[in-house]
Amino acid sequence: VTIHIARPSRTAGQTTTIDRVDYSVKPGSRLLEGTLKLKLRASQGGTRKLTLPANADLQRVTINQKERSLRATATKAGNVVQVPIRPGSQQIELRWQQPWERTLSERVPAVHVGGPAANVRVTVTTGEDRWLLWAFGPRWGPAVLFWSHLFILILLAIGLGRLRFLPLKTSHWLLLCLGFAQLPTPALLPVVGFFLAFSWRESFWRTRPAPQLATPFALTQIGLIGVMMIFLIALYAAIHSNLLMDLDMQVKGTNSHNGHLVWYVDRTDGALPMPGTLSLPIIVWRVAMLLWSLWLVSALLKWLQWAWRCFADGGLWRKFESTPAPQQPTAQQEAKSAPIPPPPPQP
């Protein structure tokens, strides 16, 4: 019996497979906090080079939820961390901080995981002190729908500005729509209905002073009071949402929402995506809405004067015609109206 024993030759391919990558950053006024989580499988032991930004200060490294004492080595490509890998599946987490300054356009710092990876998610937490204008990056990511909503409101304002019988110009409608952009589009209906109702009141009842229309006139006056109350409530809701509520930029897609943006890439060659945002300090929005509120108060005084003239044109109220009640005839009247009996026959 002859037995030949030989070591099998290695098959070309990867010894480590990265199944998932979660890369999240949280920029602040002075520092940026970054977190990198890897879920991988390895067929043999070794090390994995993870490249962080050049100015990153490594804070913590955990492997399978156990903290390890590792240091980053500065290179031209960035700070490289040599992470030990053992056969089998494992989870690696790195946390670091780096200097950061908030600007109009911001991109996620570059990170390389040392090889191909799948199911990559990049998360950016913008913070409540920023006004998110736009988000850009991979195709599967968040979309800011506020601007499309505002565009529809601008078209509506231009159409309303062409109604010459209303006291508002196109510029007034544009400013109103800007202030109502944080509310659903139907919230603008009470405002439009207010001006339409009072314009109709002025033109319709001026030529109909007949007393027999007292009941419809009274119902019209009561209805106009209700329309005015709803109009004032809608204006208050707009001011309250703009000055006191959180700014809603209507962010949708990949489980994203205001202040929490998520991008997804199915595969990458090792370099993680670098999405970015356009943002301004939230104080810019607050100041703009404060100026809008002051304009609204000054314009409201003129609109209420116009509404009062329409409301009082032709009278504030009309009396109902009273039908006289039938009177009971007296005894004398009954005697006069009684038929005269025929004379008795002559003998």
Side-chain angles (χ1 to χ4, degrees):
V1 177
T2 303
I3 302 176
H4 298 278
I5 301 175
R7 181 186 297 273
S9 59
R10 296 183 297 178
T11 303
Q14 300 178 2
T15 60
T16 303
T17 301
I18 301 178
D19 296 326
R20 179 168 179 172
V21 179
D22 289 320
Y23 177 29
S24 59
V25 297
K26 184 179 181 181
S29 58
R30 295 182 179 180
L31 293 175
L32 178 141
E33 298 179 0
T35 303
L36 179 64
K37 296 181 180 180
L38 304 177
K39 184 179 181 180
L40 54 84
R41 292 176 289 116
S43 59
Q44 65 181 20
T47 58
R48 188 76 172 187
K49 293 183 179 180
L50 303 179
T51 305
L52 303 181
N55 53 357
D57 182 14
L58 189 61
Q59 301 289 317
R60 182 182 180 185
V61 179
T62 59
I63 301 176
N64 291 333
Q65 299 180 353
K66 294 183 179 179
E67 189 169 353
R68 302 291 297 270
S69 298
L70 299 178
R71 294 184 178 180
T73 303
T75 62
K76 294 182 179 180
N79 292 349
V80 178
V81 182
Q82 298 280 354
V83 180
I85 303 297
R86 66 179 185 180
S89 61
Q90 51 210 294
Q91 297 180 359
I92 301 172
E93 180 178 350
L94 283 75
R95 294 178 180 270
W96 73 90
Q97 291 182 347
Q98 64 183 85
W100 193 259
E101 293 183 3
R102 306 308 301 264
T103 58
L104 174 63
S105 178
E106 298 175 332
R107 276 190 175 273
V108 173
V111 172
H112 201 287
V113 295
N119 300 322
V120 179
R121 286 177 173 82
V122 181
T123 305
V124 177
T125 303
T126 58
E128 297 181 354
D129 59 339
R130 301 296 294 183
W131 173 17
L132 177 65
L133 301 177
W134 196 254
F136 54 90
R139 179 174 300 179
W140 289 355
V144 181
L145 304 181
F146 173 81
W147 303 112
S148 58
H149 173 65
L150 182 61
F151 179 73
I152 295 175
L153 291 178
I154 291 175
L155 294 180
L156 180 61
I158 295 174
L160 292 173
R162 295 183 177 276
L163 301 179
R164 301 304 180 185
F165 59 89
L166 296 180
L168 274 67
K169 300 180 180 179
T170 303
S171 59
H172 297 155
W173 286 114
L174 288 173
L175 289 173
L176 271 177
C177 291
L178 175 63
F180 276 79
Q182 286 295 299
L183 299 176
T185 304
L188 197 61
L189 293 179
V191 179
V192 180
F194 169 79
F195 292 102
L196 291 176
F198 277 82
S199 297
W200 172 82
R201 160 66 177 85
E202 183 183 20
S203 60
F204 183 81
W205 286 106
R206 177 184 297 174
T207 58
R208 289 168 175 80
Q212 59 269 23
L213 299 177
T215 300
F217 183 84
L219 295 177
T220 300
Q221 296 294 86
I222 296 174
L224 289 176
I225 295 175
V227 170
M228 181 181 294
M229 296 301 297
I230 299 175
F231 166 72
L232 295 177
I233 292 174
L235 295 183
Y236 171 78
I239 295 175
H240 183 268
S241 62
N242 290 327
L243 295 181
L244 301 179
M245 303 294 291
D246 294 334
L247 178 59
D248 183 13
M249 295 301 292
Q250 304 178 22
V251 179
K252 302 294 181 182
T254 60
N255 294 327
S256 301
H257 54 81
N258 289 326
H260 183 79
L261 311 178
V262 181
W263 288 267
Y264 175 79
V265 176
D266 56 350
R267 292 184 180 276
T268 179
D269 58 354
L272 299 186
M274 298 173 58
T277 60
L278 296 177
S279 63
L280 290 173
I282 192 62
I283 190 63
V284 177
W285 171 264
R286 300 301 184 194
V287 171
M289 289 299 101
L290 178 60
L291 296 177
W292 178 83
S293 301
L294 296 177
W295 166 82
L296 181 62
V297 171
S298 62
L300 183 60
L301 296 178
K302 300 179 181 178
W303 297 341
L304 292 180
Q305 293 177 2
W306 167 81
W308 175 255
R309 289 195 301 268
C310 297
F311 186 79
D313 191 8
L316 295 176
W317 198 260
R318 293 181 181 177
K319 296 182 179 181
F320 296 90
E321 276 194 341
S322 57
T323 304
Q327 298 180 358
Q328 297 294 334
T330 61
Q332 186 177 2
Q333 292 176 347
E334 290 181 353
K336 291 182 179 180
S337 60
I340 299 176
Q346 297 294 331

